[in-house]
Amino acid sequence: MTKLTSLTIKEALDGLKKKEFTATELTEAHIKASEAAQHLNCYITETYDHARAQAKESDARYAKGEAKLLDGVPIAMKDLYCTEGIRTTAGSKILENFKPPYESTVSGNMFSDGAIMLGKANLDEFAMGSSNTTSAYGNVINPWQRKGDNKPLVPGGSSGGSAAAVAARIAMGATGTDTGGSIRQPAAFCGITGIKPTYGRCSRFGIIAFASSLDQAGPFARTVEDCALLLQSMAGYDPKDSTSVNRPVPEYFKSIGQSVKGLKVGVPKEYRVDGANPEITKLWDKGVDMMKAAGAEIVDVSLPHTKYALQTYYVIAPAECSSNLARYDGVRFGLRIDGKDLNDTYEATREAGFGKEVKRRILIGTYVLSAGYYDAYYNKARRVRKLIWQDFINAYEKCDVLLTPTAPTPAFAIGENEQDPVTMYLNDIFTVPASMAGMPGISLPVGLSADGLPLGLQLLGRPFDEETVFKAAGALEKAADFTHLPQSLQAKAA
Amino acid sequence: MSIDINTVRKVAKLARIRTNDADAEVLTGELNNILSMIEELNEVKTDGIEPMTSVIEMNLPERADEVTDGGMPEKILANAPEKAAGFFVVPKVVE
C-alpha cells in the first residue's frame, strides 16, 4: 500500500470509502509525520487530540455509510481562522492567549463536511508579510532546499505554515487567506497548488481581519482536484458576512479534465517586467506552449495599470488594517500592559503586542487616512483601484483566463529581502493586481529552477468563474506533470 | 512629499502605539521609502473616476432590526484581561 501521507485527498477519500484504512489510521500517520517535521515550525498550536476525536467520529460515520464531502481528511488550519475554544493567535503576541468563543464560518463548514484539524498553522503576523518571518512564533522553514545548499528558505507568506505543511506531506490540505497573494505566492514557493477564489465567495466571518475589502479564504492542496474539493466545502453564502455573495456553489471538481479546446488564454504584456528573472520568463513561455498544445487559443492582452497595483495596495491594505487593528486595545480580549491611565494602557499594550511590520502598516494606514491626506492618498488609491479592476474587465472581453507567473523569484533564504520593507513588498507584484480587482486566481507548480526549487504559474479568471479557472488549471497541471518532491522527502523515499 | 520624525511621532500617537526615539528614527526612513513608492500613483490620471469601495457590485443586504443573538456574558468576557461583576475593567477614566 502507498504511504498514507503521500495520497491525494481524492485518493484518501476513495480509500476510506473502500475501507482500505480508517480515518484514525490516516490521522495517526499525519500526526506521526508532523512530529517528525517539527523543525519546520508549521504549527503554532498542535491539536492532535482534537484531531483524534474528530477521526473517531469520522470512522463512525463511515461505518454507518454516512460519510461527507471531506470525511476523515486531515488538514492544517491557518491560525487566522477563529476556532471555538482553540487558541487562535493570528501569529501575533497580542492574541497569545486568545480562545475564540465562536467558530469561523469557513472552518465550521469544513468540520461539518468531516475535515480533521491537525493544528493551527503558522503565518505572518496578522497575515502581513510575504515570507512568514513576521510571525511572533518563529519562522516557518520551507521543506525545499537549493541544490547543494542547506540554507533554510522561506515558505512564502503570509500562509507559510499552511503551504509548508502540505508540501512536507504532514497535512493533506490546508486553509489560507489571500489579501495580496498570501495563498498563491506560498503555494508557488512550496511547489503546491493554492486558489484564492473571487472576493465574496467564502465568508470572512470569524477570519481575523487584515484588509476587509481584499481578504479572501482559500485552500492549499497538492492537486488542482483536491483544491476543488476543499473550496467546495469552504465556499457559500453567509448572512454573517455582508460581503458574502448569495450564489450557488458549483461542484468544482467536475470542471477538471474538461477540454480546453478553444479556451482563450490571455497573456498580459505588462507582466513582462524589466529585469525579470529569466527562469521565470522561460517557465511562463513554457506554460503558454503547454496551454497551446492542449488546444487553447493564446491571446495577447493589456492590463495597463498593472504597474500601479502594488502602490494602490500599500495605501488601501494599510488603511483598512489600521482601522481593523484598532480593536486590539487591551480591554476586551488579548494582551494588556497596564499604564498610568487608559490612553497609556492602549499605547503600552499596542507597543508590546504588535511586531515591526504590523506597526509600520498601522502607521502608514493612519497617515493616509489622516485629515489632509485622505483625498491625496486614500481616495487616489481607490480611484486607481477602479482602473485596475476595469483593466481586468476589458481583458476578459478578449479572453477567458489569464496566465502569468505567480512570483518574481523562487523561494529565498530566511533573512534575505529584509533590508527594506519595499524590497519585500515586490514579491507580490504579480499577485496583487487580481487581489485589487477581486478576481479568482490559482497557482500551481509547473517546473523547477536551475537550483532545484519549484516555480509556479498563476491562472486568473472572471469573477465567480472558478470553474473555468479549475478547467484551465487541470489542463496545465496535466501538461506540467510536476512530480518533484522536496529534498527531505526524496531522502526518505530512497 | 517626505515626512519628518515629528509627523511619525504624531501618527504613532494617533494610532495609540508608544514609540521611543530610536524607533521613530528608523520608522521615519522606512515610512518615507513606502510613501515615495505610493506617490507614483500621482502619475495616473483619475479625473472623473469614482473611488472604488467594493469589487462586488451589489447593494448592502438588509435584515429586520431585531435581536438575533446575545445572552452570553460569560462567553463575551471569557478573554477579558480584567473583569468584575459582569463588566470589563479598565483604568479609571473619570477624575
Side-chain angles (χ1 to χ4, degrees), chain A residues 304-328:
Chain A
H305 297 91
T306 298
K307 65 181 272 214
Y308 298 107
L310 207 61
Q311 295 84 334
T312 310
Y313 180 84
Y314 277 98
V315 176
I316 290 172
E320 294 184 14
C321 123
S322 73
S323 304
N324 274 326
L325 271 59
R327 73 190 67 173
Y328 304 102

Side-chain angles (χ1 to χ4, degrees), chain A residues 28 127 221 418 438:
Chain A
E28 290 298 343
E418 299 273 356

Side-chain angles (χ1 to χ4, degrees), chain A residues 466-477:
Chain A
E466 282 81 6
E467 286 164 290
T468 303
V469 173
F470 278 123
K471 180 167 92 173
L476 185 59
E477 179 183 53

Side-chain angles (χ1 to χ4, degrees), chain A residues 101 332-333, chain B residues 72-80 88:
Chain A
R332 290 150 302 154
F333 51 85
Chain B
M72 50 177 107
E74 301 79 20
K75 272 189 159 186
I76 302 289
L77 288 165
N79 283 286
F88 295 106

